[in-house]
Structures are given as structure tokens and as C-alpha cells.
Amino acid sequence: MAKKSIVNRNKKRIKLVGKYAARRLELINIIKDSSADFEEKLEARNNLQKLPRDSSPVRIRQRCILTGRGRGVYKKFGLGRIKFREIAMRGEIPGVIKASW
């Protein structure tokens, strides 16, 4: 089980990403716009850097919904590899069977 503080930190990041998504997209579009002048792009870049660091979507970590484990998480199921195996072996995930050859 991951520490509660780490899991809560990730939840906080998810909220911040949602809060600043529109503003961040607007600034990024100004920076990428070829018709915008240099001063406008520079101001947009500075405003983008002033946004909270945790409002960037790349800082969100995929975590297991049961244990909070940050590594070895299957996106399709939202489970860590260990819990996924336990649940699959009990037959609780439809369509998942143990491979044998």
C-alpha cells in the first residue's frame, strides 16, 4: 500500500490540471501560433511558467485504484500488476484467462 500522502498528492495534481487546463491550452496556442508576434509569444511563455508546476498533465502518475502503487499499473484495468493477477486468478475479470502453451 502506497503512502496516503503520495496518493493524496496525485489527487491534488489531478484537480489542478483540470482547473488550469483551459488557461494552459490558451497560452500554448498563442506560443505555437505562427502569426503572433515575438512579444506576445514571450509574454505567453512567461505566463505559462507562472502557472503552478503541478498543473501540468505530465506530472500526474498512473496509480493502482486499490493499493495506490505507482509502478506496473495496467491502464485498461486501473490495477497494479499484483492486484490484477490476484483478481484475475479468482476469475473476477471477465475475458482474462491464464496463458498456457
Side-chain angles (χ1 to χ4, degrees), residues 10 13-14 57-63 69-72:
N10 202 46
R13 286 177 179 158
I14 292 169
V58 291
R59 292 179 64 94
I60 296 176
R61 180 95 179 165
Q62 282 292 100
R63 295 200 165 269
R69 182 179 171 85
R71 293 178 176 231

Side-chain angles (χ1 to χ4, degrees), residues 34-95:
S34 60
S35 64
D37 61 333
F38 180 74
E39 310 299 330
E40 191 177 352
K41 286 183 178 186
L42 189 63
E43 184 181 345
R45 183 173 295 276
N46 288 336
N47 289 336
L48 186 64
Q49 289 176 351
K50 287 178 185 175
L51 291 179
R53 188 179 270 180
D54 283 342
S55 69
S56 176
V58 291
R59 292 179 64 94
I60 296 176
R61 180 95 179 165
Q62 282 292 100
R63 295 200 165 269
C64 175
I65 56 174
L66 297 178
T67 61
R69 182 179 171 85
R71 293 178 176 231
V73 179
Y74 292 100
K75 282 184 184 180
K76 185 174 182 178
F77 302 100
L79 295 170
R81 61 185 175 82
I82 300 162
K83 286 296 175 182
F84 175 78
R85 185 171 190 270
E86 289 175 5
I87 294 171
M89 288 298 178
R90 285 184 291 198
E92 295 177 8
I93 303 176

